[in-house]
Amino acid sequence: MVVAGESDDAPAVLADGHSAAAELTRHLIEVHGHRRLSFVGEPAGSPDTTLRYEGFLDALRAAGLGEAGDPLRYGLDVRSGTLAARQVHETGLPDALVCANDELAIGLLATLPGLGHRIPQDVAITGFDDQSLAEIASPRLTTVHQPVAELGARAAAGALGETLDPRTVLPTRLVIRESCGCAADPDAITD
């Protein structure tokens, strides 16, 4: 078993990060009218982040938009989100920040208000993974839900010798919460 992206002919189990990031980006553009969007996370840092970044860029191109500056190239942890928050505070906020994962987004959510910025009024923030903190963050984090348990089970089965399709791609779903600017609705999940 390999990590997605290491080899095209080796079995891999992954979530559809490209399509999910594109859907999330389209939501920010079409529903909220955002035109200046930035990606937070190191696109070359992992195959998953690369797919998410490519989906983000594809959605921007389809809308006739370009990225608002270079990606904010940070790691994938809360501290990196804090550093990214300080950078956008100093250089200017885009309309929306599309984070490579929820930890980065949580760092931004925790730091930007202390720098005088309101979320989502001044900047929308989204994550990816749908970690448990996403639901209790303030505001609650719009994110992409991945079938983590199924990903792990299928990867383990492959590692134990079960025959897998060469490339198993599991579906994701957009989880709409307040950090993108949508109204509070505890059941607002799209399939």
Side-chain angles (χ1 to χ4, degrees):
M1 186 61 45
V2 297
V3 174
E6 286 182 3
S7 172
D8 288 333
D9 56 354
V13 180
L14 61 148
D16 189 359
H18 180 277
S19 296
E23 180 183 7
L24 179 60
T25 304
R26 281 192 305 273
H27 173 81
L28 292 167
I29 294 167
E30 295 169 5
V31 174
H32 299 288
H34 295 313
R35 296 290 176 258
R36 296 181 54 250
L37 293 88
S38 293
F39 188 84
V40 184
E42 175 54 65
S46 77
D48 288 333
T49 302
T50 300
L51 288 171
R52 294 167 192 176
Y53 183 59
E54 290 170 357
F56 167 77
L57 291 176
D58 286 349
L60 288 178
R61 282 191 284 269
L65 301 172
E67 186 172 8
D70 292 329
L72 300 165
R73 298 180 185 275
Y74 288 95
L76 298 172
D77 57 8
V78 173
R79 184 175 185 282
S80 295
T82 297
L83 295 172
R86 291 184 184 134
Q87 180 180 340
V88 296
H89 171 71
E90 292 172 8
T91 61
L93 291 176
D95 297 337
L97 294 164
V98 176
C99 298
N101 70 10
D102 288 349
E103 288 189 39
L104 279 168
I106 296 294
L108 285 156
L109 287 173
T111 306
L112 284 171
L115 298 172
H117 304 290
R118 300 168 302 151
I119 302 160
Q121 296 89 339
D122 298 333
V123 61
I125 296 175
T126 65
F128 203 105
D129 294 328
D130 197 21
Q131 294 179 358
S132 59
L133 287 177
E135 192 169 359
I136 62 170
S138 181
R140 294 181 330 133
L141 183 62
T142 294
T143 187
V144 173
H145 177 81
Q146 293 197 89
V148 175
E150 187 176 357
L151 282 166
R154 289 201 186 189
L160 294 172
E162 184 178 312
T163 302
L164 296 175
D165 292 331
R167 198 162 188 82
T168 302
V169 180
L170 300 177
T172 59
R173 74 175 186 268
L174 191 57
V175 181
I176 304 296
R177 296 187 180 113
E178 298 85 26
S179 70
C180 68
C182 286
D185 181 355
D187 297 321
I189 298 176
T190 63
D191 291 315

